[in-house]
Amino acid sequence: MALVPLIEYDAASPAVRAVYDDIMATRKVPAVNNFWKALANDPANLARVWADVKSVMGAGALDPLVKELLYVAVSVTNNCEYCIHSHAAAARGKGMTPAMFDELLAVVALANATNRLANGYRIDVDAQFRDPVPR
Amino acid sequence: MALVPLIEYDAASPAVRAVYDDIMATRKVPAVNNFWKALANDPANLARVWADVKSVMGAGALDPLVKELLYVAVSVTNNCEYCIHSHAAAARGKGMTPAMFDELLAVVALANATNRLANGYRIDVDAQFRDPVPR
Amino acid sequence: MALVPLIEYDAASPAVRAVYDDIMATRKVPAVNNFWKALANDPANLARVWADVKSVMGAGALDPLVKELLYVAVSVTNNCEYCIHSHAAAARGKGMTPAMFDELLAVVALANATNRLANGYRIDVDAQFRDPVPR
Amino acid sequence: MALVPLIEYDAASPAVRAVYDDIMATRKVPAVNNFWKALANDPANLARVWADVKSVMGAGALDPLVKELLYVAVSVTNNCEYCIHSHAAAARGKGMTPAMFDELLAVVALANATNRLANGYRIDVDAQFRDPVPR
Amino acid sequence: MALVPLIEYDAASPAVRAVYDDIMATRKVPAVNNFWKALANDPANLARVWADVKSVMGAGALDPLVKELLYVAVSVTNNCEYCIHSHAAAARGKGMTPAMFDELLAVVALANATNRLANGYRIDVDAQFRDPVPR
Amino acid sequence: MALVPLIEYDAASPAVRAVYDDIMATRKVPAVNNFWKALANDPANLARVWADVKSVMGAGALDPLVKELLYVAVSVTNNCEYCIHSHAAAARGKGMTPAMFDELLAVVALANATNRLANGYRIDVDAQFRDPVPR
């Protein structure tokens, strides 16, 4: 029950098609998923978000699979149904096994629990954790 | 400004000391951090939470460093000051470089952004993401 | 799959009808939406919430459309499906164009992202932002 | 570092003083706490919020102590420092023992954990939980 | 649309069956609900979460019904559909009346509102709330 | 207690200085605030986030002041202390009066409350809100 129509490739403007083409080429997929078809209602935002995703999720200091796992962990914490499904699929495509997904959820559950214990007891940060971190 | 006194080792009951000893031995640290000293006001919860942490964060399908990164990602999303500091320190102890921390935050920020785009536009999950995942 | 039955006008008590009547008169609509029909199971809460909505969302220092936009921004951040749909409709009724909705979501996404960067890096508030604000 | 000055009784308008007087009389306290002194910058909101608090938190189907515990549970989940401190104090005033506070936090932690397991696995609600609830 | 298959009793391993048996015996129910059937894909997590639930939600300083109410309050704040349905059902089984549920939601709504007022105005915690709490 | 050092202009690389220069020129301010000095530890993210902020927060279908109000509303909902202070200051610079800030917080509080009522009662979206929205 999307609040906006999904823009299919054939009906897209040249600017939107250019983003779709880059998504498909970068990800080696034959079509873009609904997220992009919804964002295409706002071509400037489509281009901006895709540029961010391409830049942030690509190769870097962290493994691409690890980045997808982080994405799933945030999406589960926020309860974004669409994002859980799409990024779990992306993570599986990059090698996430069922056992890895199970462990991810166990960590996310534990972190959400202990976050509330630390906040609820208002525990002061230990001095050694406050030390400046050299760069 | 903790809501509870911190229970130091010397003042702890034998049951609490046993948990402290296991934490120090498992983590190879000379003392437990404030989180555990606060939880020790409720020895049953202290033992339970430590058992969970020991079980979930140990070796498994995911690398221990990856688990710490996931912990930080959740803690940043929830804004748990104590947990960000303590788990960022744990992650550094397991090899997280400054560049990895920067990338982690970039992923967390991006995921928090796109979570709201997907939820705000109420985007329907693509059929291919809904397919049963074989185990 | 509401947890409570929806109370229709014909089945409502006089006290509930009085609130329904005021909602319909104030909003110039021929019927109340499901939110109120669910709240009507608790007439005291129905009256209280409607009084708050009527008081807060009416004319004041902020334009009524701006208030609806703020409502949508909060509802998207919290992922309240019902509230996104109902307040997006209310905002459209007060003049929100598709371009305004798109921009709203872009701002909400950006704010959710930078909130995590500021919290994740634990950035100290600049002195000039802490200055007392004259009233 | 409040964003607004705190309005003390002596400097308050008659309308604000009337609310302060009612708070002090209802709660049998010699002064109002900072929350109300901050809200007093917006007298209409002060009156509205106090009316809501007085109405919701008073005697009803739930014990006043239980209501305070619920308030603390929500505040811990949302990490509202002010609210945790002020409502934990209110709960202690109504009989919350240290053991009750510890258990409350254990429940809040557990619920925050299992909320993410249910959302992360996208578990379908059982048919028997969806049955209409007779009123 | 669960991301994992539900493990029915007949198809479960002995280790999983042992947990199911304990859940059914403890709760006096003829079958386990979907939450456990989903968790059973990760038997270690199933055993751990059930041990936590059994330990935390049982008899203690707080009444079991109060604990279920707290669970619902957290689940509503986080918008966990599964948890709201399942724990509201559990609470009804322990004596929650419709009026109690209505009041619970009114308190949860109020706390979520005032949490934002306190955080938005950045109200400083009163000195008397910061006093150490004797144990 | 930032987790990273703040990069001052004099110590910044040419790439970072170029972003700082653009921020100062665009905003007509003599220095950048701490948010940017922290992000500068990751020059690629600094450039990306600034490009997003410049693009999203500039002139468009929504008034720049309205965008700042939306930013504050999200930041209050998420409890980002840094963002509340910095964007409240930005909003004041664009014309937000104290009365407007008060009303904003009243709307944010109300939306956070009714979000939980709608989610807690699991209220179904009305058919008329689900109608496709023409573009």
Side-chain angles (χ1 to χ4, degrees):
Chain A
M1 189 179 53
L3 270 166
V4 284
L6 300 180
I7 310 288
E8 300 295 338
Y9 190 91
D10 289 347
S13 69
V16 166
R17 281 192 188 184
V19 177
Y20 284 9
D21 286 338
D22 193 36
I23 294 172
M24 293 187 287
T26 302
R27 295 184 162 178
K28 300 180 181 30
V29 289
V32 301
N33 52 301
N34 288 351
F35 180 75
W36 306 107
K37 293 179 188 173
L39 259 64
N41 288 279
D42 180 357
N45 203 35
L46 171 73
R48 187 169 49 228
V49 174
W50 167 242
D52 285 352
V53 169
K54 190 178 180 181
S55 166
V56 170
M57 299 302 284
L62 293 174
D63 186 82
L65 171 56
V66 171
K67 292 187 183 183
E68 288 294 346
L69 299 177
L70 294 169
Y71 223 112
V72 174
V74 170
S75 302
V76 169
T77 297
N78 287 331
N79 191 20
C80 177
E81 181 184 24
Y82 187 89
C83 315
I84 293 171
H85 278 286
S86 59
H87 285 277
R92 287 193 300 270
K94 289 176 180 166
M96 182 180 75
T97 63
M100 293 167 76
F101 181 60
D102 290 336
E103 282 198 21
L104 179 156
L105 288 186
V107 174
V108 168
L110 182 64
N112 271 287
T114 61
N115 281 193
R116 271 65 187 201
L117 292 172
N119 284 338
Y121 280 123
R122 313 299 316 155
I123 305 173
D124 294 305
V125 181
D126 304 70
Q128 75 268 26
F129 296 149
R130 294 172 176 264
D131 287 345
V133 182
R135 286 242 160 185
Chain B
M1 189 180 52
L3 270 166
V4 284
L6 299 179
I7 310 288
E8 299 295 338
Y9 190 91
D10 290 348
S13 69
V16 166
R17 280 192 188 185
V19 176
Y20 284 8
D21 286 337
D22 193 35
I23 294 171
M24 292 187 288
T26 302
R27 295 185 163 178
K28 300 180 181 30
V29 289
V32 302
N33 51 301
N34 289 350
F35 180 75
W36 307 108
K37 294 179 187 172
L39 259 64
N41 288 279
D42 179 358
N45 203 36
L46 172 72
R48 186 169 50 227
V49 174
W50 167 242
D52 285 352
V53 168
K54 190 178 180 180
S55 166
V56 170
M57 299 302 285
L62 292 175
D63 186 82
L65 171 56
V66 171
K67 292 187 183 184
E68 288 294 347
L69 298 177
L70 293 169
Y71 223 113
V72 174
V74 170
S75 303
V76 169
T77 297
N78 287 332
N79 192 21
C80 177
E81 181 184 23
Y82 187 88
C83 314
I84 294 171
H85 278 286
S86 60
H87 285 278
R92 286 192 300 269
K94 289 177 180 166
M96 181 180 74
T97 62
M100 292 167 77
F101 181 60
D102 291 335
E103 281 198 21
L104 180 155
L105 287 187
V107 174
V108 168
L110 182 64
N112 272 286
T114 60
N115 280 192
R116 271 65 187 200
L117 292 173
N119 283 339
Y121 281 123
R122 313 300 314 156
I123 305 173
D124 295 304
V125 180
D126 305 70
Q128 75 268 26
F129 296 149
R130 294 172 176 263
D131 288 344
V133 182
R135 286 239 161 188
Chain C
M1 188 179 56
L3 271 165
V4 284
L6 299 180
I7 309 289
E8 300 296 337
Y9 190 91
D10 289 348
S13 69
V16 166
R17 281 192 188 184
V19 176
Y20 284 7
D21 286 339
D22 193 35
I23 294 173
M24 293 187 287
T26 302
R27 296 185 162 178
K28 301 180 181 29
V29 289
V32 302
N33 52 301
N34 289 351
F35 180 76
W36 306 108
K37 293 179 188 173
L39 259 65
N41 288 279
D42 180 356
N45 203 36
L46 171 72
R48 187 169 50 229
V49 174
W50 166 243
D52 285 352
V53 169
K54 190 177 180 181
S55 165
V56 170
M57 299 302 284
L62 293 175
D63 186 82
L65 171 56
V66 171
K67 292 187 183 183
E68 287 294 346
L69 298 177
L70 293 169
Y71 223 113
V72 174
V74 170
S75 302
V76 168
T77 296
N78 286 332
N79 192 21
C80 176
E81 181 184 23
Y82 187 88
C83 314
I84 294 172
H85 278 286
S86 59
H87 285 278
R92 287 193 299 270
K94 289 177 179 165
M96 181 179 75
T97 63
M100 293 167 76
F101 181 60
D102 291 335
E103 282 198 22
L104 180 157
L105 287 187
V107 173
V108 168
L110 182 64
N112 272 286
T114 60
N115 281 192
R116 272 64 186 200
L117 292 172
N119 283 339
Y121 280 123
R122 315 297 316 154
I123 305 172
D124 294 305
V125 180
D126 304 70
Q128 75 268 25
F129 296 148
R130 293 171 176 264
D131 288 344
V133 182
R135 286 238 161 189
Chain D
M1 189 181 51
L3 271 166
V4 285
L6 299 180
I7 310 289
E8 300 295 338
Y9 190 91
D10 290 347
S13 69
V16 166
R17 280 192 189 184
V19 176
Y20 285 8
D21 286 338
D22 193 36
I23 294 172
M24 292 187 288
T26 302
R27 296 184 162 178
K28 299 181 183 26
V29 289
V32 302
N33 52 301
N34 288 350
F35 180 76
W36 306 107
K37 293 179 188 173
L39 259 63
N41 288 278
D42 180 358
N45 203 36
L46 171 72
R48 187 169 48 228
V49 174
W50 168 242
D52 286 351
V53 168
K54 190 177 180 181
S55 166
V56 171
M57 299 302 285
L62 293 175
D63 186 83
L65 171 56
V66 172
K67 292 187 183 184
E68 287 295 346
L69 298 177
L70 293 168
Y71 222 112
V72 174
V74 170
S75 302
V76 168
T77 297
N78 287 331
N79 192 22
C80 176
E81 181 184 23
Y82 187 89
C83 314
I84 294 170
H85 278 287
S86 59
H87 285 278
R92 287 193 300 270
K94 290 177 179 166
M96 181 179 74
T97 63
M100 291 168 77
F101 181 60
D102 290 336
E103 282 198 21
L104 179 156
L105 288 187
V107 174
V108 168
L110 181 64
N112 271 287
T114 59
N115 281 192
R116 271 65 186 199
L117 293 172
N119 284 338
Y121 280 124
R122 314 297 318 152
I123 305 172
D124 294 305
V125 180
D126 305 69
Q128 74 269 25
F129 296 149
R130 293 171 176 264
D131 288 343
V133 182
R135 286 239 160 187
Chain E
M1 191 180 51
L3 270 167
V4 285
L6 300 180
I7 310 289
E8 300 295 337
Y9 189 90
D10 290 347
S13 69
V16 166
R17 281 191 188 185
V19 176
Y20 284 8
D21 286 338
D22 193 35
I23 294 172
M24 292 187 288
T26 303
R27 295 184 163 180
K28 300 180 181 28
V29 289
V32 302
N33 52 301
N34 289 350
F35 180 76
W36 306 108
K37 295 180 188 172
L39 258 63
N41 287 279
D42 180 358
N45 203 36
L46 171 72
R48 187 169 49 227
V49 174
W50 167 243
D52 285 352
V53 168
K54 190 177 180 181
S55 166
V56 171
M57 299 302 285
L62 292 175
D63 186 82
L65 171 57
V66 171
K67 292 187 183 183
E68 288 294 346
L69 298 177
L70 293 169
Y71 223 112
V72 173
V74 170
S75 303
V76 168
T77 297
N78 287 332
N79 192 21
C80 177
E81 181 183 23
Y82 187 89
C83 315
I84 294 171
H85 278 286
S86 59
H87 285 278
R92 287 193 299 270
K94 289 177 180 166
M96 181 180 74
T97 62
M100 292 168 77
F101 180 60
D102 291 335
E103 281 199 22
L104 179 156
L105 288 187
V107 173
V108 168
L110 182 64
N112 272 286
T114 59
N115 280 193
R116 271 65 187 201
L117 292 173
N119 284 339
Y121 280 124
R122 313 301 314 157
I123 305 173
D124 294 305
V125 180
D126 304 71
Q128 75 268 25
F129 296 149
R130 294 171 175 264
D131 288 345
V133 182
R135 285 241 161 187
Chain F
M1 188 180 55
L3 270 166
V4 286
L6 300 180
I7 310 289
E8 300 295 339
Y9 190 91
D10 289 348
S13 69
V16 166
R17 281 192 188 185
V19 176
Y20 284 7
D21 286 338
D22 194 35
I23 295 171
M24 293 187 287
T26 302
R27 296 184 162 179
K28 300 182 180 31
V29 290
V32 302
N33 52 301
N34 288 350
F35 180 75
W36 306 108
K37 294 179 187 171
L39 259 64
N41 287 278
D42 180 358
N45 203 35
L46 171 73
R48 187 170 48 228
V49 174
W50 168 242
D52 285 352
V53 169
K54 190 178 179 181
S55 166
V56 170
M57 299 302 285
L62 293 175
D63 186 82
L65 171 56
V66 171
K67 292 186 182 182
E68 288 294 344
L69 298 177
L70 293 169
Y71 222 113
V72 174
V74 170
S75 303
V76 168
T77 297
N78 287 332
N79 192 19
C80 176
E81 181 184 23
Y82 187 89
C83 314
I84 294 171
H85 278 287
S86 60
H87 285 277
R92 287 193 299 271
K94 289 176 179 166
M96 181 180 75
T97 62
M100 292 167 76
F101 181 60
D102 291 336
E103 281 198 21
L104 179 156
L105 288 186
V107 173
V108 168
L110 181 65
N112 271 286
T114 59
N115 281 193
R116 272 64 187 199
L117 292 173
N119 284 338
Y121 281 124
R122 314 300 314 156
I123 305 173
D124 294 304
V125 180
D126 304 70
Q128 74 269 25
F129 296 150
R130 294 172 176 265
D131 288 344
V133 182
R135 286 239 160 188

